[in-house]
Amino acid sequence: MDTPNRSIEEVILEDGRYPLEAVQFVRAGLNYTVQQVYKKQGQSERRHISGEQLCMGLRDLARQKWGMLAGSVLGQWNIHGTKDFGEIVFLLVETGWMQKQPSDCREDFDGIYDFDDEFGSDFELE
């Protein structure tokens, strides 16, 4: 991967949709999800994960970190649906901070789950 020529902070400021904390959460969620997916499959080498897998991992990580406040924290960062996760991912891809497969697209993140269902007051902790 080529080294990005701009800092993440510059990219986020220019884009203006999401704060740095949101982007840092998605990057941490990528690492978390890769570990979870491949640990379950008994594989040691890292491979690609899908948009759906990343969204599920981000959901689980948010619940672990913030519990019942997960939806509120994400909402404060302008993340209101799984589509926002995809927007952050592709912002990072377009600026060289993440890589994607040729078949990956923004639509891979659309409607994976409903935030009210997953982060509402009735969600169950795993």
Side-chain angles (χ1 to χ4, degrees):
M1 178 165 86
D2 293 333
T3 304
N5 58 6
R6 299 185 305 160
S7 71
I8 288 179
E9 291 84 358
E10 290 174 311
V11 170
I12 301 227
L13 186 59
E14 182 180 304
D15 180 72
R17 292 179 288 172
Y18 307 101
L20 179 59
E21 295 86 359
V23 176
Q24 290 170 329
F25 173 71
V26 169
R27 289 184 73 201
L30 175 64
N31 291 332
Y32 170 84
T33 304
V34 166
Q35 289 176 345
Q36 296 302 308
V37 167
Y38 292 109
K39 183 171 73 173
K40 284 181 185 175
Q41 294 178 0
Q43 296 176 341
S44 59
E45 67 181 74
R46 291 184 170 201
R47 294 209 171 112
H48 181 68
I49 60 169
S50 69
E52 180 177 1
Q53 288 172 313
L54 179 56
C55 288
M56 301 306 264
L58 289 165
R59 177 201 63 193
D60 296 346
L61 182 60
R63 287 176 172 179
Q64 281 182 17
K65 289 178 74 92
W66 303 300
M68 300 289 244
L69 297 176
S72 296
V73 171
L74 295 171
Q76 293 239 319
W77 293 341
N78 298 323
I79 299 175
H80 302 287
T82 57
K83 182 177 181 173
D84 290 307
F85 292 145
E87 290 297 318
I88 292 170
V89 166
F90 274 85
L91 177 66
L92 292 170
V93 165
E94 290 165 2
T95 57
W97 284 94
M98 275 187 171
Q99 293 182 323
K100 72 175 194 77
Q101 299 293 315
S103 61
D104 293 337
C105 63
R106 280 182 165 84
E107 291 76 22
D108 294 341
F109 294 87
D110 290 354
I112 302 298
Y113 50 79
D114 181 272
F115 265 43
D116 289 337
D117 292 342
E118 296 297 332
F119 299 118
S121 60
D122 295 334
F123 82 80
E124 293 183 25
L125 293 172
E126 296 177 3

